[in-house]
Amino acid sequence: MVRSLLIIPLLAAAGGGVWLARGALLRWRDLRAAETYELAGEQRPMLLRAAGAMVCGVCVTVLTLLTALGTFGALSGGGADASIGSAGSLPDGFDDRFGDRFDDGQAGAGGGRQAAPPVDPAAAPAAGAAPAAVPAVPTPSPVPVVSRFDSVGHPGGGELLQSAVPGPDGHPRNVRVWLPAQYAKDPNARFPVVVMQAATPRKTADAEVPDVFEGLASAVQSAKGKPFILVAPEAPNGTAHPCELVAAAPMAVADDAALRTTIAATFRTLPPGPAGWGTLGVEDGAPCAAAAGLARPDLYGAAAAVSGRYDAAALARTGAEAPATGTPRLLLAAGKADTAGLDAARKLQAALRGGTGAAARAEVRISDNATDYSAERIRLRLVRQAAQFLGEALGKAS
């Protein structure tokens, strides 16, 4: 009895310790992420959670020792259970709480066992009849994954949040979500989603292109784009250049069912699918976006690749092997002075036109008119064009 009572606070302390430790880790990640945007973070919540986790750890240790000592004492004092197993009958005065374990349908002559309840003849099966089938237990439907996203900044007038979401390998990875300013202004609206592909292992795309939020916000402010939610998952590890593999293995792109389920269950988004979800890649992440849009037109209604370099033949094969449903819609954008980028875009467009399957059906647009006085300004203009293209393709908030 004492051992059973100790298990309850032991489990409570263990669960509380895990919750507090996870909270401390998330707060620590928030502080690290805030440094990226030169924001001041408060360390007190992280320290309080860490201290609470340590206290819970001490409690778990003490309760575990007490439970182990109680178990050892029960084994060394043995007797009642052993006598039952060896004698095959209950000793006089044995508590009838255990009568249902050993009931054979007859009342004991002085024991504590209870007689079996009478059987209703009408309910009993006839002789030789097959036993009634046991009703199948319904399988519960999967519960959507809802993660806690913590705010790490407000770039571009919106809100940037971060959380850890399980990846395809089951290990957690950082995922950042940018909500446009319109998300807070209209609590009933649902927004399209754009997955932004990263090209550096263990980094999110916004770390590579920090001005992407300003480009998205300026497109909406200039009435040339419609607001959408930007999701930036951490790129997978295993190679120095993940986007070099996507033409041969496009599903290596860091977008998966767990990510879509988590985002759709946590935020007010349009349902995952080509009507409401798209993908974006800038510079080294552009091949990832092109491959994702060509490989899964049934999931992404549009893909925008900015200032990329592409393996045209491999991407044409990727499009040819895509599902029969859906038509890939692809924007290939590069600065007016980026001759190498425009040449790569035109070669990819020609390879897709000469391909088969979904590759031949692909609607490819090339943007080659962006120009400005600096590379950063040109990239900002290209991101603005990509936001306009994706907003038109995916529709406005509903």
Side-chain angles (χ1 to χ4, degrees):
M1 183 67 179
V2 176
R3 189 168 69 252
S4 300
L5 293 177
L6 289 176
I7 292 177
I8 297 175
L10 172 62
L11 295 176
V18 172
W19 182 79
L20 289 170
R22 182 178 181 274
L25 178 61
L26 291 175
R27 291 291 178 180
W28 177 78
R29 289 178 175 174
D30 292 347
L31 292 175
R32 292 290 301 275
E35 293 175 359
T36 304
Y37 299 94
E38 299 182 356
L39 299 175
E42 187 178 357
Q43 296 184 356
R44 188 166 178 267
M46 180 194 70
L47 297 177
L48 289 176
R49 285 171 171 78
M54 294 177 62
V55 172
C56 289
V58 173
C59 294
V60 169
T61 303
V62 173
L63 292 171
T64 301
L65 291 175
L66 293 176
T67 304
L69 291 175
T71 302
F72 178 77
L75 292 175
S76 61
D81 292 341
S83 63
I84 293 174
S86 60
S89 60
L90 296 174
D92 292 340
F94 190 81
D95 195 343
D96 65 351
R97 289 176 299 168
F98 302 95
D100 58 342
R101 296 187 184 180
F102 308 99
D103 198 352
D104 58 1
Q106 299 177 354
R113 293 177 291 176
Q114 299 177 352
V119 179
D120 186 359
V134 178
V137 178
T139 302
S141 58
V143 180
V145 180
V146 180
S147 296
R148 173 183 172 180
F149 283 79
D150 297 318
S151 179
V152 295
H154 295 81
E159 184 177 12
L160 183 64
L161 304 103
Q162 178 173 298
S163 182
V165 178
D169 58 357
H171 294 89
R173 58 173 174 177
N174 288 331
V175 174
R176 289 188 173 183
V177 176
W178 181 76
L179 304 177
Q182 292 76 11
Y183 189 90
K185 294 178 181 178
D186 190 351
N188 297 319
R190 292 189 173 274
F191 293 81
V193 176
V194 172
V195 179
M196 186 173 181
Q197 310 295 345
T200 304
R202 299 303 181 190
K203 282 191 177 182
T204 55
D206 62 296
E208 302 170 330
V209 190
D211 54 356
V212 64
F213 307 115
E214 283 70 19
L216 301 179
S218 64
V220 176
Q221 293 170 0
S222 63
K224 292 183 179 180
K226 300 179 179 68
F228 52 76
I229 296 172
L230 185 74
V231 178
E234 188 178 83
N237 203 0
T239 176
H241 305 284
C243 287
E244 291 181 354
L245 302 178
V246 296
M251 294 313 294
V253 176
D255 62 274
D256 54 87
L259 176 67
R260 288 188 290 274
T261 302
T262 300
I263 298 301
T266 308
F267 301 98
R268 300 194 312 273
T269 71
L270 295 179
W277 284 54
T279 183
L280 167 66
V282 179
E283 296 177 351
D284 291 341
C288 280
L294 290 169
R296 299 304 303 270
D298 56 328
L299 294 178
Y300 298 108
V306 175
S307 300
R309 306 294 187 267
Y310 315 101
D311 185 339
L315 287 173
R317 289 194 301 270
T318 297
E321 298 171 358
T325 58
T327 297
R329 286 183 286 181
L330 182 62
L331 171 68
L332 305 176
K336 189 174 183 179
D338 185 6
T339 55
L342 292 175
D343 182 62
R346 294 187 179 101
K347 287 182 178 178
L348 176 56
Q349 184 184 47
L352 293 174
R353 287 176 177 173
T356 59
R361 300 194 311 270
E363 299 176 2
V364 182
R365 293 169 53 184
I366 294 180
S367 174
D368 58 359
N369 59 359
T371 182
D372 215 310
Y373 60 84
S374 68
E376 290 75 16
R377 293 287 303 175
I378 294 175
R379 183 171 63 184
L380 188 65
R381 288 181 177 275
L382 291 172
V383 170
R384 192 180 305 164
Q385 291 179 0
Q388 180 182 355
F389 169 78
L390 292 168
E392 291 175 352
L394 302 177
K396 61 182 179 181
S398 59

